Amino acid sequence: MSDYNLGLDYAKQQDQLDDLKHYRSQFHIPKDNKGNEWLYFTGNSLGLQPKSTKDYINQELEDWANLGVEGHFEAKNPWMPYHEYLTNSMAKIVGAKPIEVVVMNTLTTNLHLLMVSFYQPTKTKYKIVIESDAFPSDRYAVQTQLEFHGFDANEGLIEWKPRKDEELLNIEDLENILEEQGDEIALLLIGGVNYYTGQYLNLKKIAELGHAKNCKVGIDLAHGAGNIKPELHDSGVDFAAWCTYKYLNSGPGSLAGLFVHEKHAYNKELKRFAGWWSHNKRFNMRQPLDVIPGAEGWQLSNPPILSMAAIKASLDMFNEVGMDALRKKSIKLTGYFEFLINELNNHKIKIITPSNPDERGCQLSIQVKNADKNLHQKLTDTHIITDWREPDVIRCAPTPLYNSFEDVYRMVEKLKEILSPS
Ligand SMILES: Cc1ncc(COP(=O)(O)O)c(C=O)c1O
């Protein structure tokens, strides 16, 4: 028996019951030229803009205009420690301690900086495991790390693949890879929530398996931050990085998060690339490097305040809502989406995302028969915004902060209309 019902009335009733319903009006929802709101399902790619973002950025523009360089100490939110204003909220979102988290750079840059520290290959233990369908940037990052250290990128890369005719990864297969080749593996770099299938992997288990073979374990959390509750500290993974422009609604190309587990916080032996922002006493210019303990010690440069202001606008909202409430709504909303799609019972589409809510976030990946891209195009033509990922998937993410049950209902009604033979 499903917990859900069909019909628009049911969707509207669920929206009425939703404790988070008032957050939708705090976002700019794009509209068509008749003033109708788009149905926006791509928070997994670029989150919508909170209405408060402009004020947060304007504050910094004004302080810059009025104070110039003095803004570093005299701005309403002094710029010198600005990155620290983001730390507590970000730590809560990913389930970390404040010393484990910092916002800096962009995701792929952070992955490289983290690999400088945590990918320390030897002649015999140098291989890196990634998912066979890892996001291309991660693949390129590990390939070039292998080459940088003088290894053959093809030979040094091990792919954790789904089994034949399956879409999802099976943890037993990672176990087997480690059993057979663990002595040669230096690092696992895994997408915590896979960008293509939406599969949320068991981070704790991955960390245990990797550590049992003396490998370092890193997580790309691009599709996890602000979506699932990854509990990074408890998972025991060594490091993680994520962008903030997806579920964290901080604007195109905005800065990224970085996590380094507390167990490495005071290890001064770890190799790293440093800059003046890694240093404990920043304006003491003539001192030797004294690295700040914890994640902050991986920073290089003074951060872009305008971008951080946009992140602060978003994180203040996340802090108010809390991940527990968000996740609770998310599970219900995505479950409803899945229910409606399954009710269509149409052989042209198939959800490949796990049906177990513990193994997914809000995204559902809909595989389209014969890779018929038209379906995605027709949705886009009616301002239902999803994304197409090659070879054959439409990704749709009802995000709990601004998507409603009615959005989901209307989306699936349109899907039904497009799929039905004319
Ligand atoms: C899983 C994943 N990893 C890495 C990236 C690359 O992020 P960036 O361009 O911010 O480095 C993305 C971007 O969408 C992504 O989805």
Side-chain angles (χ1 to χ4, degrees), residues 3-4 10 20 200 227-229 323-339 354-364 398-401 405 408:
D3 293 339
Y4 304 106
Y10 174 80
L20 306 186
Y200 170 23
N227 178 21
I228 43 98
K229 292 180 62 196
M323 280 310 297
D324 286 339
L326 263 184
R327 184 72 178 127
K328 191 168 157 218
K329 175 173 170 190
S330 178
I331 288 172
K332 198 165 170 191
L333 192 62
T334 295
Y336 174 60
F337 191 22
E338 179 184 44
F339 162 76
S355 55
N356 178 355
D358 293 338
E359 293 174 30
R360 70 183 182 200
C362 66
Q363 172 184 325
L364 291 185
T399 63
L401 262 182
F405 287 81
V408 168

Side-chain angles (χ1 to χ4, degrees), residues 106-109 111 135 137-138 195 220 222-223 243 245-246 254:
T106 49
L107 168 51
T108 310
T109 314
L111 289 176
F135 193 82
S137 204
D138 296 24
Y195 82 99
D220 175 338
H223 290 265
C243 47
Y245 45 76
K246 299 179 187 297
S254 186

Side-chain angles (χ1 to χ4, degrees), residues 7-19:
L8 179 59
D9 287 350
Y10 174 80
K12 288 190 168 175
Q13 184 196 42
Q14 293 309 305
D15 284 330
Q16 278 311 313
L17 294 171
D18 172 14
D19 294 335

Side-chain angles (χ1 to χ4, degrees), residues 15-195:
D15 284 330
Q16 278 311 313
L17 294 171
D18 172 14
D19 294 335
L20 306 186
K21 58 178 174 292
H22 53 286
Y23 282 99
R24 180 185 180 89
S25 63
Q26 296 185 30
F27 284 87
H28 290 288
I29 315 256
K31 295 189 175 86
D32 66 18
N33 52 18
K34 293 195 188 104
N36 300 315
E37 286 177 348
W38 293 1
L39 296 179
Y40 194 82
F41 287 98
T42 28
N44 58 311
S45 180
L46 181 69
L48 290 178
Q49 184 188 135
K51 289 180 179 165
S52 59
T53 302
K54 208 178 248 174
D55 289 341
Y56 278 66
I57 294 179
N58 278 342
Q59 177 69 52
E60 305 317 322
L61 286 173
E62 260 174 48
D63 285 345
W64 177 26
N66 296 329
L67 296 164
V69 72
E70 295 300 313
H72 280 107
F73 300 97
E74 302 299 329
K76 182 171 176 228
N77 310 301
W79 303 329
M80 259 297 283
Y82 203 100
H83 60 278
E84 294 172 14
Y85 311 150
L86 311 179
T87 301
N88 284 346
S89 309
M90 192 60 103
K92 278 194 226 161
I93 287 170
V94 295
K97 297 188 176 182
I99 195 171
E100 295 174 318
V101 167
V102 71
V103 174
M104 62 181 222
N105 304 323
T106 49
L107 168 51
T108 310
T109 314
N110 286 348
L111 289 176
H112 274 298
L113 291 174
L114 287 161
M115 282 192 271
V116 167
S117 302
F118 294 104
Y119 176 55
Q120 291 289 322
T122 65
K123 274 196 178 128
T124 53
K125 193 168 173 68
Y126 60 92
K127 294 188 177 174
I128 304 179
V129 180
I130 59 170
E131 316 124 90
S132 59
D133 201 9
F135 193 82
S137 204
D138 296 24
R139 177 180 289 271
Y140 306 151
V142 296
Q143 280 172 339
T144 50
Q145 283 283 336
L146 280 158
E147 283 166 1
F148 178 73
H149 286 278
F151 300 104
D152 180 302
N154 290 326
E155 202 262 331
L157 200 65
I158 300 176
E159 293 187 0
W160 175 17
K161 297 188 180 91
R163 294 178 184 177
K164 192 170 177 302
D165 298 326
E166 291 184 11
E167 307 292 339
L168 302 174
L169 294 169
N170 189 319
I171 196 88
E172 281 171 19
D173 299 332
L174 179 64
E175 212 167 339
N176 289 338
I177 290 173
L178 285 157
E179 210 40 63
E180 285 161 18
Q181 302 178 72
D183 293 344
E184 296 172 19
I185 296 170
L187 173 70
L188 317 183
L189 182 69
I190 306 292
V193 176
N194 182 270
Y195 82 99

